[in-house]
Amino acid sequence: MRDAVYPPVLATVRTRDARVSPLEALKWIRALRTTARGGPFVLRVRSGGHLHAASFDATVHDTAVQYAWIADQLGVDLTGGCRGPNPSR
């Protein structure tokens, strides 16, 4: 890790992921937070194994969190209500 400006990072890890230990992800985010400029650098820990073992609902939830993170980083206001395609009805 070098002292440079890094983009915002949302790292997600599963507690029982055989590919990447949660500890490795934690160390990576800690290194970004202490060495790099930019960010924010966020670690999201979810229970379970590798992503493909997640239920459909968990996958939809994870995707929604990722889209909300991207929108927040781009400054998009998601607080407006959704009134549907024809609000005059």
Side-chain angles (χ1 to χ4, degrees), residues 2-87:
R2 57 182 216 261
D3 180 22
V5 178
Y6 286 80
V9 173
L10 172 63
T12 302
V13 67
R14 300 276 178 173
T15 56
R16 293 186 309 273
D17 193 334
R19 295 180 182 190
V20 178
S21 164
L23 183 58
E24 294 303 318
L26 178 63
K27 289 192 290 188
W28 179 59
I29 291 296
R30 189 184 90 213
L32 281 170
R33 287 179 179 173
T34 58
T35 306
R37 289 173 280 128
F41 310 116
V42 177
L43 177 63
R44 188 166 174 258
V45 180
R46 304 275 289 150
S47 63
H50 193 68
L51 182 62
H52 297 292
S55 70
F56 176 76
D57 290 343
T59 301
V60 170
H61 181 266
D62 288 347
T63 302
V65 167
Q66 292 166 4
Y67 280 132
W69 165 264
I70 293 167
D72 183 62
Q73 296 309 305
L74 294 175
V76 176
D77 181 11
L78 298 177
T79 60
C82 178
R83 296 185 295 181
N86 190 353

